[in-house]
Amino acid sequence: MSALTFTLKISPVQRVDCSPLTPEQLHGKSVAEIAALPLWSGKRQLRVDEVFDISRIGKDGGDDDSEDSNDDHIVFLNSSAHLDRIGQGMRSGRITVHGNAGDYLGLELRGGRLELHGNAGHFAACAMSAGMLHVHGNCGDYLGAGLVGERKGMRGGTVLVTGNVGDRAGDQMRRGLMLIEGDAGDYCASRMLAGTLGVLGKVGRYTGYGMRRGTLLLTQTPVLHATMADCGTHTLPFLNLMFKSLRGLPSRYAQLDQNRVRRYAGDIANQGTGEILVLLPP
Amino acid sequence: MLTKLTGGRVYDPAHGIDGQVMDLYIRDGRLIARPRDDEKVSKEYDLRGKVVMAGAIDMHTHIGGGKVNIARMMLPEDHRADPVAHSELCRAGCGHVAPSTLTTGYRYAEMGYTAGFEPAILPVNARQAHLEMGDTPIIDKGGYAMLGSDDYFLRMLTAKKDQNAINDYVAWTLHASQAIGIKVVNPGGISAFKFNQRALDLDAQHAYYQVSPRDVLKSLSRAVHELGIAHPLHVHANNLGVPGNLDTTLKTMGASEGYPLHLTHIQFHSYGTEGDRKFSSGAAAIAEAINQHQHISADVGQILFGQTVTASGDSMRQHANAGLANPSKSVIMDIECDAGCGVVPFKYRDQNFVNALQWAIGLEIFLLVDDPWRIFLTTDHPNGAPFTSYPHLIRLLMDKSFRNDMFTKLNLDAQAMSTLANINREYSLYEIAIMTRAGAAKLVGLHDRGHLGVGAAADITVYTEDADREKMFSKPDYVFKDGTLVVRNGQVVQVTWGSTHTVRPEFDRSVEQDLRAHFDRYHTMKLDHVKVSDDEIAEGGRGRVQVQPCLGRREKTR
């Protein structure tokens, strides 16, 4: 399989906007052309080869600089938290990042697969509409939230996080699946509109604040604010179906198989048709 | 420093100059008479073959005040989609339909406009409007203070207060809000909306105050006239956008009993109910009435196709239109318990029957009103279209074949309902100069703007004659603002800061006694905080207040 590899060779002082480096945009370009592309860094523009060592590995494993090579896989090595907007607007293909990523990882992701082996900054999966973001590490605040000023967050796709996430995960989330294996910060699922958000670890304060619809799946009973209503314990057969659909995911969620939950409805200060389901031991 | 503009073809309707080749001289930001031959010309511009006009004046454009900011906040997609990078001179900005203040100023200047007037300054919100306009570079600005749905005024009407008391209150409002005119929006209707009335016709009674829009119009138009303010009462009539509102508009023209009225965005008030879809053009009747009634003037509020946002103080009508919002979101709100506000994004489409007919109605009004001194070129920015579409609109008015080409692309049912294709009139450059310069300055009461006579401010726009009027008017060769060259070849070359124009009619200061008690009891602000001082406008050297004299409505100079 071919891959185009960007190895970070400087330690950037300013943040670097990596949004031009996606499979669609680099398709059919030679290494020399890619090297000359401009990247914004603060108020300056840098050439790609000022920031990265670029190498293209062909299908046979050797160096391949032919123009028709298939760049459906892009790899970032030695990545740092200064690299923003990795995978912005990606529609297909794969990006794998080794090291940390900056803010807006997978911004407006529309397809393909984006994998991070490290920690992500704020606004990962912001305004995402399809595809898969898999973070082997932690994420900052506003995971899967909306663009600034917008009224809807993530609209589709799957986000898997093995570590912890910051505040406001799933803010204004509209559709899609967000599965967090670690802890979530305050205001988890705030203003959520629809979709499914799971947290296996702890959640912070004001969980489901302003939640309108949607499902928040937890394993531990959170401290809830006054406008979340306890609806008692239930056996919900749909959970078996849902967990069955998660079987194929490379995640601890694939092992879940329970259908006994305590259900909380809310936020009753904002329509109140959202639900928090806390899994109970079988 | 003496600047000479040599050999341009000058259109200055205020002095009856129609394309005469002549030289202009500028000193200290003013036009002067021909100097003595031995005086040294420090800078000469060769304008031979070029068209020279005064800087254009937009007499109705929403460029400041709470609702514009709401529109900006509500439409992040508009700002994301239209970023403007900073340059050596200009600062960064963004926005197509509701641009940032700085971008607004640059874009106006780059189109040859040197003044714009915000038509809906709510007195308690005047500071916000002036701060935004103070951040709008290059152009001159000013605004009309909104009265007519405020409780203090309606109480006065209910109590049948003496006209002199009303005049004092109107004058106080002009002083406090640093405005140059008075506007009334849906007379009484914004207040009636809060008493659960969802429509208010000209002679309907306000449920609580028991006054009608006719009473409001009569009293305010008289006050404006008696105070000697040049700008007649600026009226956004009742029933905006309602099919059949034609009758309301015609009756409104008579409501002031002869006192001057300016009917704004009249296109939105010229709808009949004929045809299968009960929506038709009332343009002929409206234009006929304007032609007959010398005390009436109007601006059109032309719509042009594409995305825009409607921002109005008319919360009653905006509430009714909110369901048509595109994208689907809107803000309908009260402001400081004293007025309303409605912001509804809109997309006008040429294949939509109603939108296509609205487009045709606007143009029909332009072409059927005979006197260009009483009809004005606006899109009611951003309600009909953003102001950047003015050059396109000018081409529609000046080029019949272009207009007819555009017309044939419209919704077919709308074409069948319009007489536009049979109207042969084409505006001349002279008439465009009346509409956008001389007439506008006269209407607003800018005594030293909009003309090129001796003593006028040297706000001058120079175009290259081009058969494609859109191209010609979108990129002037030179724009001078107060004698300074600010735009060359459609690009800002120097950023200056314009004046804020106001009027200050005399009034009895004791009006404040009762007003203070009213503010203390009912308002969110103290009376003294409502008043905007000159210092606030001139702060940082970015602006100054220019008080225009109250000499009454100027007569035509020819």
Side-chain angles (χ1 to χ4, degrees):
Chain A
M1 198 185 69
S2 67
L4 183 62
T5 306
F6 294 92
T7 310
L8 183 66
K9 65 179 183 183
I10 58 170
S11 50
V13 185
Q14 284 286 351
R15 311 193 70 82
V16 180
D17 178 352
C18 295
S19 59
L21 306 180
T22 61
E24 294 90 355
Q25 293 180 91
L26 300 186
H27 184 78
K29 287 195 168 71
S30 69
V31 168
E33 283 173 318
I34 294 169
L37 288 176
L39 298 178
W40 279 106
S41 176
K43 63 176 183 176
R44 294 172 55 219
Q45 282 193 314
L46 301 173
R47 281 167 58 100
V48 171
D49 61 359
E50 287 180 78
V51 184
F52 297 105
D53 281 326
I54 309 165
S55 66
R56 175 175 267 151
I57 296 150
K59 286 195 174 65
D60 53 2
D63 282 355
D64 174 9
D65 197 15
S66 60
E67 291 194 9
D68 60 342
S69 66
N70 177 12
D71 293 323
D72 66 346
H73 189 193
I74 289 177
V75 179
F76 288 88
L77 295 177
N78 191 29
S79 176
S80 97
H82 279 79
L83 303 188
D84 288 342
R85 297 177 182 242
I86 295 175
Q88 175 176 343
M90 181 164 84
R91 288 173 188 276
S92 62
R94 268 176 75 195
I95 296 181
T96 309
V97 185
H98 295 276
N100 296 330
D103 298 336
Y104 294 107
L105 173 71
L107 175 67
E108 297 188 290
L109 193 67
R110 287 165 198 181
R113 189 182 168 91
L114 176 50
E115 206 160 337
L116 170 69
H117 299 273
N119 300 327
H122 302 309
F123 285 99
C126 173
M128 170 174 173
S129 54
M132 155 87 93
L133 173 66
H134 194 170
V135 178
H136 301 271
N138 302 326
C139 290
D141 298 341
Y142 288 99
L143 174 67
L147 286 164
V148 169
E150 289 290 347
R151 298 187 307 158
K152 285 178 188 153
M154 173 174 169
R155 297 195 306 277
T158 306
V159 175
L160 303 178
V161 181
T162 60
N164 304 327
V165 300
D167 296 341
R168 299 247 179 209
D171 182 51
Q172 303 193 92
M173 180 171 170
R174 176 65 182 78
R175 194 176 291 141
L177 188 61
M178 183 186 290
L179 301 176
I180 297 155
E181 295 181 27
D183 301 337
D186 296 340
Y187 294 97
C188 181
S190 59
R191 306 187 288 174
M192 187 169 176
L193 296 168
T196 305
L197 200 168
V199 182
L200 294 184
K202 296 195 292 288
V203 290
R205 295 180 304 163
Y206 296 109
T207 295
Y209 184 85
M211 188 175 180
R212 195 158 161 209
R213 293 189 304 270
T215 301
L216 175 58
L217 189 68
L218 303 177
T219 56
Q220 304 173 24
T221 304
V223 179
L224 293 171
H225 58 282
T227 48
M228 303 300 290
D230 188 347
C231 305
T233 51
H234 303 265
T235 300
L236 301 177
F238 95 88
L239 283 172
N240 296 98
L241 296 172
M242 188 178 90
F243 289 137
K244 199 172 163 190
S245 75
L246 304 183
R247 288 287 144 72
L249 292 176
S251 163
R252 280 168 55 202
Y253 283 84
Q255 281 115 48
L256 288 179
D257 190 15
Q258 288 155 262
N259 60 14
R260 188 81 185 145
V261 292
R262 190 164 192 99
R263 184 175 183 274
Y264 300 86
D267 186 332
I268 52 176
N270 189 18
Q271 196 170 312
T273 46
E275 61 179 3
I276 298 178
L277 304 180
V278 182
L279 289 171
L280 299 174
Chain B
M1 176 167 159
L2 180 65
T3 307
K4 183 181 179 191
L5 309 182
T6 311
R9 209 145 45 78
V10 175
Y11 292 85
D12 181 13
H15 299 96
I17 297 168
D18 181 6
Q20 197 178 320
V21 173
M22 55 197 282
D23 299 340
L24 298 174
Y25 298 89
I26 306 169
R27 181 183 280 143
D28 301 331
R30 298 265 156 187
L31 286 155
I32 57 165
R34 186 187 169 84
R36 296 190 314 275
D37 286 346
D38 59 341
E39 280 187 69
K40 192 176 168 310
V41 173
S42 21
K43 178 84 185 157
E44 182 174 354
Y45 293 88
D46 182 1
L47 304 185
R48 278 175 294 179
K50 310 271 187 201
V51 171
V52 180
M53 294 184 185
I57 297 164
D58 192 346
M59 46 65 61
H60 186 111
T61 171
H62 296 273
I63 54 171
K67 66 207 168 308
V68 189
N69 247 6
I70 292 167
R72 291 183 185 119
M73 278 195 289
M74 200 170 75
L75 296 168
E77 60 270 40
D78 176 52
H79 285 191
R80 272 203 306 275
D82 191 11
V84 183
H86 72 95
S87 68
E88 292 283 309
L89 280 168
C90 302
R91 293 177 58 181
C94 56
H96 172 63
V97 303
S100 54
T101 51
L102 294 150
T103 306
T104 302
Y106 305 143
R107 283 187 184 159
Y108 259 122
E110 287 176 348
M111 255 172 25
Y113 274 73
T114 53
F117 288 83
E118 159 60 47
I121 294 185
L122 182 61
V124 286
N125 228 358
R127 184 166 284 103
Q128 156 85 23
H130 282 295
L131 287 170
E132 276 184 58
M133 290 195 286
D135 224 15
T136 305
I138 304 179
I139 61 170
D140 281 0
K141 47 253 164 180
Y144 314 134
M146 243 168 82
L147 287 178
S149 276
D150 55 310
D151 291 286
Y152 190 78
F153 174 74
L154 292 172
R155 276 160 192 259
M156 284 177 111
L157 272 194
T158 309
K160 305 224 181 304
K161 283 274 173 68
D162 174 50
Q163 181 73 32
N164 286 332
I166 287 173
N167 293 2
D168 287 338
Y169 173 57
V170 169
W172 179 88
T173 304
L174 283 166
H175 281 245
S177 51
Q178 298 271 16
I180 196 167
I182 295 289
K183 177 175 194 202
V184 56
V185 174
N186 191 348
I190 304 171
S191 171
F193 182 72
K194 298 176 192 174
F195 292 90
N196 284 331
Q197 285 173 279
R198 291 293 172 265
L200 193 67
D201 206 1
L202 187 67
D203 290 306
Q205 294 285 304
H206 184 299
Y208 179 76
Y209 287 112
Q210 294 302 318
V211 295
S212 67
R214 187 185 289 275
D215 302 330
V216 174
L217 287 170
K218 214 172 359 182
S219 149
L220 281 178
S221 61
R222 187 174 159 197
V224 166
H225 186 78
E226 289 183 357
L227 290 169
I229 304 164
H231 188 49
L233 181 65
H234 197 95
V235 181
H236 160 144
N238 304 78
N239 291 335
L240 178 142
V242 179
N245 59 14
L246 168 69
D247 292 335
T248 311
T249 312
L250 293 173
K251 279 190 287 175
T252 301
M253 291 183 187
S256 70
E257 298 179 349
Y259 291 111
L261 287 184
H262 177 83
L263 297 178
T264 191
H265 40 69
I266 199 160
Q267 178 272 127
F268 291 107
H269 302 271
S270 305
Y271 306 145
T273 49
E274 286 159 29
D276 296 343
R277 309 210 198 183
K278 304 283 174 230
F279 183 77
S280 62
S281 168
I286 292 288
E288 174 72 23
I290 295 176
N291 288 340
Q292 279 174 6
H293 294 95
Q294 291 297 316
H295 70 290
I296 298 295
S297 57
D299 64 271
V300 173
Q302 176 68 28
I303 71 143
L304 294 163
F305 303 117
Q307 177 70 52
T308 195
V309 58
T310 63
S312 170
D314 191 347
S315 40
M316 181 185 269
R317 292 305 312 151
Q318 290 290 67
H319 174 261
N321 289 334
L324 302 171
N326 184 353
S328 159
K329 49 187 168 183
S330 60
V331 172
I332 311 290
M333 63 185 280
D334 165 74
I335 296 181
E336 304 286 334
C337 302
D338 211 29
C341 165
V343 183
V344 181
F346 236 81
K347 196 177 237 166
Y348 294 107
R349 291 177 296 126
D350 58 0
Q351 292 314 313
N352 174 296
F353 168 75
V354 172
N355 296 166
L357 200 53
Q358 285 179 303
W359 180 90
I361 292 169
L363 291 175
E364 285 170 15
I365 295 171
F366 269 118
L367 298 166
L368 293 173
V369 172
D370 297 332
D371 183 0
W373 290 92
R374 290 192 289 119
I375 189 88
F376 299 92
L377 188 141
T378 66
T379 57
D380 190 16
H381 164 81
N383 292 317
F387 65 83
T388 41
S389 49
Y390 285 171
H392 177 78
L393 177 53
I394 291 174
R395 185 171 181 200
L396 287 170
L397 297 178
M398 295 189 73
D399 185 341
K400 178 175 186 288
S401 60
F402 176 68
R403 183 166 71 226
N404 286 353
D405 287 350
M406 301 302 282
F407 183 70
T408 54
K409 292 178 191 156
L410 299 186
N411 175 296
L412 290 173
D413 293 350
Q415 285 188 40
M417 296 283 288
S418 170
T419 57
L420 187 66
N422 302 326
I423 305 175
N424 289 319
R425 181 169 173 200
E426 288 182 337
Y427 270 80
S428 66
L429 281 174
Y430 187 72
E431 286 172 318
I432 292 290
I434 294 172
M435 247 195 200
T436 56
R437 275 90 174 161
K442 178 173 167 235
L443 179 82
V444 178
L446 305 172
H447 294 261
D448 60 342
R449 312 270 157 176
H451 66 97
L452 297 171
V454 169
D459 294 354
I460 302 168
T461 305
V462 180
Y463 303 100
T464 300
E465 175 87 55
D466 192 320
D468 180 348
R469 301 302 188 186
E470 183 170 350
K471 208 170 136 204
M472 171 175 170
F473 279 94
S474 49
K475 203 175 165 192
D477 294 64
Y478 302 104
V479 179
F480 297 88
K481 179 77 191 72
D482 293 308
T484 307
L485 181 68
V486 289
V487 170
R488 177 183 280 141
N489 295 328
Q491 293 286 318
V492 171
V493 293
Q494 176 143 6
V495 177
T496 61
W497 296 92
S499 312
T500 297
H501 295 273
T502 63
V503 282
R504 305 252 167 99
E506 279 309 311
F507 69 104
D508 179 357
R509 310 273 153 169
S510 66
V511 67
E512 272 196 10
Q513 242 171 19
D514 190 40
L515 253 180
R516 190 180 298 279
H518 179 83
F519 269 80
D520 285 345
R521 179 151 182 214
Y522 297 109
H523 263 286
T524 53
M525 273 166 95
K526 295 284 182 200
L527 175 102
D528 291 319
H529 299 161
V530 172
K531 293 192 262 187
V532 179
S533 73
D534 289 4
D535 294 345
E536 291 176 84
I537 290 173
E539 202 170 27
R542 271 190 170 190
R544 59 205 162 267
V545 177
Q546 187 179 337
V547 183
Q548 295 285 353
C550 290
L551 302 174
R553 189 165 158 78
R554 274 201 304 167
E555 285 316 306
K556 291 177 205 172
T557 44
R558 87 188 169 103

